[in-house]
Amino acid sequence: MEGSWKIHRLQQVIAALLITSFASQICASDVIYYEPFDEPFEGRWIVSQKDDYKGVWKHSKSEGHDDYGLLVSDKARKYAIVKELDQVSLKDRTVVLQFEVRLQDGLECGGAYLKYLRPQEAGWQPKEFDNESPYSIMFGPDKCGSTNKVHFIFKHKNPKSGEYVEHHLKNPPSVPSDKLSHIYTAILKPDNELSILIDGEEKKKANFLSADDFEPPLIPDKTIPDPNDKKPEDWDERAKIPDPNAVKPDDWDEDAPMEIEDEEAVKPEGWLDDEPEEIDDPDSTKPEDWDDEEDGEWEPPKIDNPKCEIAPGCGEWKRPTKSNPAYKGKWHAPLIDNPDYKGIWKPQQIPNPDYFELEKPDFEPIAAIGIEIWTMQDGILFDNILIASDEKVAESYRLTTWKPKFDIEKEKQKAEEAASGLSDGLSGLQKKFFDLLYKIGDIPFLDAYKPMIIDLIEKGEKQPNITIGVIVSIVVVILTVFFRILFGGKKTAASVSETHGAGAAPAETSTNQEESSGEKEEDEHEKEDAAAAPPRRRSTRREN
């Protein structure tokens, strides 16, 4: 095994040399900024001096490699560090944002994303960097509780109102759940297209101007409900009303009980009327240390009466109950169509004063790169932060800086799994299943169930022997959602006519508000004090 391992390493070295040779041919001017963290970061990156940020950054090797990175060294801390740049324009050209993250101790609750800051106000100092420092783009993994996503958020100034608005990518990809090095890439193109790649594989494609891809949409609606329009007092929204002409039938008995005794029931033959269902345990004895004054009068514990096990029953026999054929319940007049029904009222639409048209987003330039996170995990390693103007440049960096490390880590993972008796870990078929399940979890109509699905997948990856159970569970979730949609489990209101007036059907409105970026308002993994268990009695006695 050692010989094959050396051969594999030699092949990787040769491949890396060939890739490096290829990469050297790429124009260096396409690299706007690159940080490999080969040298200590002090003096180049500035650690925030704000009181909230107690986490200590370290220049550290990636576990198992000679490659250095920027390390989150303590658990349950807030971290903030920033690097000022010459301003990078995001307009009218391709811009690629790329960086590596390795979650060496996993990620249960915390962020590992980057913030690309816009120019700050006059007098701002890097040591003042915090979660309030405005950014142009926030990109990278975040996982805690129900949150499991690779964020892409951009802030855009509304040209009408002058306010900056956060626009969140809808249905972003999930965060890889292992402890390997992963590389995240965002490609912004001049035709308004956005591509999100994880490990070089495209996981999400979007358009900055599409309302289907960002929430809230970049371009506001042309019209909005008139805030001054009021519903008329005589507006009737009841589609059905009780029939005013209906009369309760004379034979309708509202007092009849739902169930009555079954008069035809007969006591089973062999019923033991005089036998109790429980008796004192004949094998129990009073403990020698039992003190009647301190512990009370001792009584033996009860057991099921063995005579009742072979008889139809014990104790007093009572007739069973049955449904009352005369039961009708409380009478209600039947519902009929409301002749005065006007539909669900909605205010009339007026032109949106904040509406504007754009051919392209008016991105603010990038003036700095910041890492501002809160995490319960240590061992998060950032490396090879790149800003480039060419996709091929980013690809070459992936092949030279990330891929060799990832391959080594995968081989090591397989060897460890084999040594621990897991053979090759997940079989090829299982791996394909889990990759497919991750893609299924990203389907928009399953978005509400995504945390549950991701949790099931992660459990299956850690315990390959429950793969079938995981697949069955996810299939059940999907079928449940499908049948709810198919058979009306989730009612969707009819579309509303633009006409303000009679006959308007109900409108369904929804608000999909994302969590505040880069900030955790609550520790979802806060430890709870265990409740003290009451002391156990030395024996049992009946409490009166």
Side-chain angles (χ1 to χ4, degrees):
M1 179 178 289
E2 183 177 354
S4 62
W5 176 259
K6 290 181 178 179
I7 293 173
H8 179 72
R9 290 297 299 273
L10 179 61
Q11 290 173 337
Q12 290 180 327
V13 171
I14 294 173
L17 290 173
L18 292 173
I19 293 169
T20 303
S21 175
F22 165 75
S24 65
Q25 301 175 24
I26 297 177
C27 182
S29 63
D30 291 328
V31 178
I32 300 172
Y33 174 75
Y34 177 56
E35 173 59 86
F37 292 108
D38 291 339
E39 302 296 331
F41 61 86
E42 289 86 353
R44 294 181 295 111
W45 289 71
I46 306 301
V47 177
S48 175
Q49 300 300 307
K50 290 293 188 73
D51 292 338
D52 286 346
Y53 301 97
K54 304 297 184 182
V56 177
W57 296 97
K58 291 185 178 179
H59 183 240
S60 178
K61 287 184 178 180
S62 181
E63 185 179 321
H65 305 290
D66 291 329
D67 185 46
Y68 282 86
L70 182 64
L71 180 69
V72 169
S73 63
D74 299 315
K75 297 180 179 180
R77 293 286 187 274
K78 288 185 177 181
Y79 291 80
I81 191 169
V82 67
K83 166 66 178 177
E84 289 190 291
L85 307 175
D86 294 333
Q87 290 191 17
V88 179
S89 174
L90 298 174
K91 298 179 181 180
D92 302 322
R93 64 169 177 172
T94 294
V95 176
V96 183
L97 310 176
Q98 181 170 280
F99 65 99
E100 294 177 29
V101 173
R102 187 178 184 190
L103 309 173
Q104 297 179 132
D105 296 321
L107 184 62
E108 294 180 3
C109 187
Y113 41 77
L114 267 57
K115 290 183 176 181
Y116 299 86
L117 307 186
R118 68 174 186 253
Q120 307 295 297
E121 295 181 357
W124 181 84
Q125 297 293 323
K127 65 181 180 179
E128 299 173 354
F129 174 53
D130 61 11
N131 66 321
E132 298 296 330
S133 301
Y135 61 84
S136 290
I137 291 173
M138 181 179 127
F139 171 53
D142 188 17
K143 181 180 178 183
C144 193
S146 61
T147 299
N148 185 326
K149 65 181 71 175
V150 178
H151 285 290
F152 186 92
I153 306 169
F154 72 96
K155 284 192 175 183
H156 191 271
K157 186 177 182 179
N158 184 307
K160 285 291 188 72
S161 68
E163 296 180 354
Y164 283 92
V165 179
E166 283 187 2
H167 301 276
H168 295 245
L169 179 65
K170 290 183 179 180
N171 304 310
S174 301
V175 181
S177 60
D178 54 43
K179 301 179 182 180
L180 307 179
S181 296
H182 293 284
I183 189 163
Y184 299 87
T185 309
I187 304 172
L188 292 71
K189 297 183 179 180
D191 62 357
N192 298 324
E193 184 178 281
L194 168 69
S195 294
I196 303 296
L197 284 63
I198 301 178
D199 298 345
E201 180 182 349
E202 186 177 85
K203 298 291 187 179
K204 179 74 176 181
K205 180 175 285 188
N207 188 292
F208 286 110
L209 302 186
S210 172
D212 294 331
D213 292 331
F214 284 91
E215 176 63 36
L218 178 61
I219 299 177
D221 293 331
K222 286 186 177 182
T223 61
I224 60 172
D226 183 356
N228 298 318
D229 194 11
K230 304 297 181 183
K231 183 171 69 173
E233 293 183 1
D234 62 346
W235 192 279
D236 197 336
E237 294 183 337
R238 299 173 300 163
K240 299 279 187 179
I241 60 172
D243 185 353
N245 298 319
V247 178
K248 183 174 70 173
D250 293 335
D251 62 347
W252 192 285
D253 184 0
E254 292 185 340
D255 298 325
M258 185 180 297
E259 290 189 338
I260 58 175
E261 280 191 356
D262 185 358
E263 297 294 340
E264 298 178 358
V266 178
K267 181 169 66 174
E269 189 174 339
W271 189 279
L272 304 178
D273 298 83
D274 299 328
E275 287 290 341
E277 294 182 357
E278 290 185 336
I279 61 171
D280 293 341
D281 184 356
D283 297 327
S284 64
T285 56
K286 180 177 179 180
E288 294 181 0
D289 61 345
W290 187 275
D291 188 327
D292 289 340
E293 293 184 0
E294 178 182 344
D295 299 324
E297 181 182 355
W298 181 82
E299 294 183 9
K302 297 291 185 180
I303 62 170
D304 292 335
N305 189 342
K307 295 181 180 180
C308 298
E309 295 179 3
I310 58 175
C314 292
E316 181 185 359
W317 180 81
K318 295 181 179 179
R319 283 190 174 87
T321 60
K322 66 176 184 179
S323 297
N324 183 3
Y327 172 75
K328 293 184 178 181
K330 187 172 180 60
W331 182 83
H332 297 280
L335 298 178
I336 60 172
D337 291 336
N338 182 3
D340 297 324
Y341 175 65
K342 296 183 179 181
I344 302 300
W345 182 88
K346 68 166 188 174
Q348 64 182 346
Q349 296 287 307
I350 61 173
N352 184 357
D354 292 328
Y355 174 74
F356 58 87
E357 294 184 357
L358 278 180
E359 292 184 0
K360 296 180 180 181
D362 188 18
F363 287 115
E364 298 281 350
I366 296 173
I369 297 176
I371 306 175
E372 189 275 318
I373 58 175
W374 175 92
T375 178
M376 290 298 291
Q377 262 58 53
D378 56 1
I380 301 176
L381 191 80
F382 295 88
D383 200 4
N384 295 310
I385 300 174
L386 172 71
I387 302 178
S389 60
D390 192 318
E391 297 176 55
K392 292 183 178 179
V393 172
E395 181 182 8
S396 71
Y397 274 77
R398 287 196 299 270
L399 294 174
T400 56
T401 64
W402 165 76
K403 191 64 164 62
K405 290 187 296 187
F406 180 78
D407 289 342
I408 291 172
E409 292 164 12
K410 286 289 288 185
E411 289 297 322
K412 182 179 178 182
Q413 183 185 60
K414 289 180 180 179
E416 290 175 348
E417 289 173 347
S420 64
L422 293 177
S423 299
D424 292 329
L426 294 176
S427 69
L429 182 60
Q430 287 173 316
K431 181 65 168 65
K432 290 179 181 179
F433 268 126
F434 286 123
D435 288 343
L436 176 61
L437 292 176
Y438 273 116
K439 293 178 181 179
I440 290 173
D442 288 331
I443 296 175
F445 85 89
L446 293 173
D447 197 44
Y449 298 86
K450 185 174 181 179
M452 179 195 307
I453 293 174
I454 297 301
D455 183 60
L456 287 169
I457 296 172
E458 290 177 353
K459 288 179 180 178
E461 287 181 323
K462 293 176 182 178
Q463 304 177 62
N465 59 307
I466 65 170
T467 300
I468 299 300
V470 169
I471 294 172
V472 171
S473 298
I474 293 176
V475 169
V476 170
V477 172
I478 295 171
L479 290 176
T480 300
V481 177
F482 176 76
F483 281 115
R484 283 181 179 175
I485 295 173
L486 188 62
F487 296 110
K490 181 180 179 180
K491 296 183 179 178
T492 56
S495 60
V496 177
S497 170
E498 297 262 339
T499 305
H500 174 66
E508 181 179 359
T509 60
S510 64
T511 302
N512 179 17
Q513 185 176 8
E514 292 275 358
E515 63 189 331
S516 178
S517 61
E519 187 175 2
K520 304 290 182 184
E521 296 182 357
E522 183 178 3
D523 178 6
E524 297 186 36
H525 290 265
E526 184 178 354
K527 296 181 179 179
E528 298 181 357
D529 295 331
R536 192 174 180 179
R537 294 296 302 266
R538 290 180 293 175
S539 182
T540 57
R541 67 183 180 89
R542 188 177 305 279
E543 298 289 345
N544 294 321

